[in-house]
Amino acid sequence: MEQQLKELKEQALVKINEATTVKELNDVRVAYLGKKGPITDLLKGMGKLPAEERPKMGALVNVIRESVTEVLEERMTKLEEAAINEQLENEFIDVTLPGRPARTGNHHPLTRVVEEIEDFFISMGYEIAEGPEVEKDYYNFEALNLPKDHPARDMQDSFYITEDVLLRTQTSPVQVRTMESKGGAPIKIICPGKVYRRDSDDATHSHQFTQIEGLVIGEDICMSDLKGTLSLFAKKMFGDEREIRLRPSFFPFTEPSVEMDISCFKCSGDGCNICKKTGWIEILGAGMVHPNVLRMSGYDPAVVSGFAFGMGPERVAMLKYGVEDIRHFYTNDVRFLSQFHRTEA
Ligand code: 2NL
């Protein structure tokens, strides 16, 4: 049996040396040292030996098993190292390869236009005011010099929720609320936000759209303040060469009221399809705040005056980017939206 063991050991050592991969060596381990291997078999067969030989043989089997295990482990370390070295040599990472660009989103074109308009007015010292989209009839109409029987209410067919509550048709109620809360103090705000009208959606109408209104109240605020402010605004949004002109108009909440045109940024007055051959493009409505409106919200028209204006960012964005259908802003087709990716820093 001793002889048998020695042969087994020699055999195992040869096999260990012959193994050239981690896998082959593992097979050798299983074959010689595993539960079904010859060494285990020998240990199991010890019962057949005479009792006095058992301890000696048991010790011998253990010594042989340990030395085979030791040699195998040494060889395993070497083979594993060789495998890693081979991998390092064959598989290398080219750190100079350019990475895959991460797909980034971009701001919605309307958001961009609204933020650009906000930036201009913030630079002029205005604050941004916001308020509820579900509004009281009083703030949306009454306080803006549009009493219940006023025919101008028909101009803006509205979504009513109850008799006194509706989805706001303009952002002026935010301005009324600001006036009420200021208790007669000066005001310089713009109010951006969603507004709602009962319109059938088409290329130029939407039942929900965006509005930005502005309101300045103080002593000696006059029409020339309005004109100077809006002239700078036109240049900021549509280019330094822009001229503006004011045409008389009517709004119940302003007196006098005007509509503002900018000189056409495409043809500079020669006449094109954007300006409908007039050289001018209508951009916004404005005027001096009506005395009734001032009075109703706690301002004395004998002491202070104010100007106000209102515009539609969709219209501004359509003109600026040549968008032909207002519905593009709301259907959110990525092929449309991704065209407004900011490429400049
Ligand atoms: C337009 C015209 C306008 C106003 C909005 C306003 C608000 C208060 C008092 C007086 Cl609290 N006026 N807002 C004034 C003139 C015109 O909007 O065409 N918007 C798209």
Side-chain angles (χ1 to χ4, degrees):
M1 183 157 177
E2 226 178 300
Q3 186 56 31
Q4 222 180 330
L5 268 170
K6 276 195 183 130
E7 272 170 26
L8 208 54
K9 180 183 167 182
E10 290 311 314
Q11 238 180 53
L13 293 182
V14 169
K15 291 274 184 211
I16 288 170
N17 260 324
E18 279 174 4
T20 54
T21 67
V22 171
K23 189 187 172 308
E24 277 173 30
L25 191 57
N26 249 328
D27 292 344
V28 175
R29 183 209 306 277
V30 172
Y32 285 89
L33 301 169
K35 276 194 193 119
K36 289 176 184 153
I39 292 180
T40 311
D41 281 350
L42 279 175
L43 279 171
K44 280 183 195 156
M46 294 259 286
K48 289 181 196 136
L49 288 176
E52 66 275 14
E53 278 186 38
R54 280 183 211 158
K56 194 180 146 218
M57 283 313 291
L60 192 61
V61 170
N62 277 331
V63 167
I64 283 176
R65 189 170 57 179
E66 268 160 36
S67 75
V68 168
T69 303
E70 198 181 312
V71 174
L72 189 136
E73 247 142 45
E74 251 171 51
R75 177 91 181 133
M76 185 62 94
T77 311
K78 281 215 183 93
L79 286 180
E80 278 170 353
E81 230 169 71
I84 286 175
N85 284 338
E86 194 186 309
Q87 203 181 13
L88 283 174
E89 249 170 60
N90 294 334
E91 303 171 14
F92 62 95
I93 296 166
D94 182 354
V95 292
T96 67
L97 273 179
R100 272 192 215 100
R103 277 171 58 102
T104 55
N106 54 288
H107 282 147
H108 192 283
L110 255 185
T111 306
R112 279 179 61 172
V113 165
V114 170
E115 286 182 356
E116 204 178 329
I117 296 172
E118 287 175 352
D119 284 349
F120 169 78
F121 284 103
I122 287 170
S123 81
M124 298 284 282
Y126 287 65
E127 284 179 53
I128 295 175
E130 286 179 313
E133 289 172 30
V134 179
E135 189 50 281
K136 285 184 175 153
D137 182 281
Y138 174 80
Y139 290 110
N140 194 76
F141 289 130
E142 204 91 7
L144 287 155
N145 205 28
L146 281 142
K148 284 240 151 52
D149 57 353
H150 198 289
R153 285 200 184 195
D154 295 337
M155 277 162 45
Q156 311 172 342
D157 269 355
S158 329
F159 289 113
Y160 273 91
I161 290 163
T162 69
E163 215 173 293
D164 301 314
V165 178
L166 73 158
L167 297 183
R168 69 184 181 195
T169 60
Q170 43 198 1
T171 53
S172 350
V174 182
Q175 296 173 306
V176 174
R177 284 171 178 276
T178 307
M179 284 193 278
E180 264 191 4
S181 70
K182 286 273 182 175
I187 292 181
K188 210 170 161 186
I189 53 167
I190 55 163
C191 304
K194 290 192 185 82
V195 298
Y196 303 82
R197 304 235 176 129
R198 280 184 63 166
D199 250 336
S200 300
D201 292 1
D202 62 25
T204 54
H205 296 82
S206 172
H207 61 284
Q208 183 260 293
F209 56 100
T210 320
Q211 206 190 18
I212 297 185
E213 285 194 46
L215 176 70
V216 176
I217 298 180
E219 282 178 33
D220 299 324
I221 298 294
C222 59
M223 201 77 182
S224 57
D225 296 316
L226 169 68
K227 195 173 174 184
T229 302
L230 294 182
S231 169
L232 280 176
F233 170 71
K235 290 179 199 299
K236 167 73 184 0
M237 291 302 287
F238 292 99
D240 278 342
E241 323 76 51
R242 294 288 71 70
E243 300 287 323
I244 63 159
R245 74 175 185 189
L246 301 180
R247 286 178 289 105
S249 184
F250 173 81
F251 301 108
F253 25 85
T254 44
E255 183 58 37
S257 303
V258 294
E259 257 157 319
M260 183 178 93
D261 298 339
I262 59 168
S263 54
C264 183
F265 50 82
K266 191 178 174 197
C267 69
S268 298
D270 299 343
C272 69
N273 58 330
I274 291 186
C275 61
K276 300 191 191 94
K277 305 213 188 301
T278 64
W280 295 94
I281 303 169
E282 189 188 320
I283 278 298
L284 54 78
M288 300 308 293
V289 180
H290 197 289
N292 289 350
V293 173
L294 288 172
R295 215 175 285 116
M296 276 187 276
S297 293
Y299 286 80
D300 183 352
V303 180
V304 294
S305 50
F307 70 73
F309 55 87
M311 70 183 105
E314 280 86 351
R315 184 170 159 74
V316 174
M318 286 168 89
L319 287 168
K320 245 179 112 92
Y321 300 126
V323 177
E324 284 180 346
D325 194 317
I326 196 172
R327 290 169 291 197
H328 279 309
F329 294 121
Y330 303 105
T331 41
N332 287 329
D333 186 328
V334 280
R335 290 168 299 181
F336 171 73
L337 297 177
S338 60
Q339 292 179 62
F340 301 91
H341 220 297
R342 209 189 289 259
T343 46
E344 74 272 27

